[in-house]
Amino acid sequence: MEDTIFGKIARGEIPTDFVYEDEHAVAFHDLDPKAPTHILVIPREPIVSLADATAVDSALLGHLMMVCAIVAAQEGLEENGYRVVTNIGAEGGQSVFHLHLHILGGRQMAWPPG
Ligand code: AMP
């Protein structure tokens, strides 16, 4: 896959304040927040999107979900709830082609999403 801004962030080439990091994933605030809390969780390994993941990535995908839960708790979102979203491809609204999970919280979410 082509390198992306998130690849550079994951490799530490763009200085970024991580709200969480471990061997496999990092989390940081979205540049253009769509909710009072808007954090992105990305794998260090570059995967384009969920559609490009394979069975080999199963444990990593589960880990990313767990990181979302850890970060949401850390940010105090557990009590009122929050949303975790991943956009895939053009119609899914994906604009950065390095897999990422959005954690959105701090306001009432609408359903269905636009
Ligand atoms: P998506 O549209 O699902 O691909 O989401 C990409 C998200 O990345 C958008 O919410 C952008 O605001 C966010 N974004 C783009 N560049 C950066 C950056 N350098 N740092 C933090 N967030 C970014």
Side-chain angles (χ1 to χ4, degrees), residues 36-91:
T37 301
H38 187 175
I39 291 169
L40 302 171
V41 175
I42 71 171
R44 290 190 188 272
E45 179 192 336
I47 298 171
V48 173
S49 78
L50 190 59
D52 286 75
T54 68
V56 171
D57 302 312
S58 297
L60 176 62
L61 294 175
H63 180 68
L64 294 174
M65 293 295 280
M66 281 311 305
V67 170
C68 286
I70 291 165
V71 171
Q74 188 179 292
E75 297 291 320
L77 298 176
E78 263 186 352
E79 189 178 344
N80 290 339
Y82 57 95
R83 182 168 290 172
V84 173
V85 161
T86 187
N87 297 326
I88 298 145
E91 287 199 1

Side-chain angles (χ1 to χ4, degrees), residues 1-112:
M1 66 177 264
E2 281 186 29
D3 196 17
T4 66
I5 190 99
F6 289 178
K8 292 183 171 65
I9 288 173
R11 293 194 301 274
E13 292 167 16
I14 296 177
T16 303
D17 287 331
F18 294 143
V19 298
Y20 175 94
E21 65 177 312
D22 64 25
E23 188 187 345
H24 301 294
V26 300
F28 51 93
H29 287 279
D30 195 291
L31 196 68
D32 179 19
K34 317 302 187 293
T37 301
H38 187 175
I39 291 169
L40 302 171
V41 175
I42 71 171
R44 290 190 188 272
E45 179 192 336
I47 298 171
V48 173
S49 78
L50 190 59
D52 286 75
T54 68
V56 171
D57 302 312
S58 297
L60 176 62
L61 294 175
H63 180 68
L64 294 174
M65 293 295 280
M66 281 311 305
V67 170
C68 286
I70 291 165
V71 171
Q74 188 179 292
E75 297 291 320
L77 298 176
E78 263 186 352
E79 189 178 344
N80 290 339
Y82 57 95
R83 182 168 290 172
V84 173
V85 161
T86 187
N87 297 326
I88 298 145
E91 287 199 1
Q94 186 176 8
S95 61
V96 179
F97 293 92
H98 178 128
L99 175 67
H100 50 282
L101 279 66
H102 298 256
I103 303 170
L104 296 150
R107 67 166 168 82
Q108 181 62 53
M109 296 293 145
W111 191 262

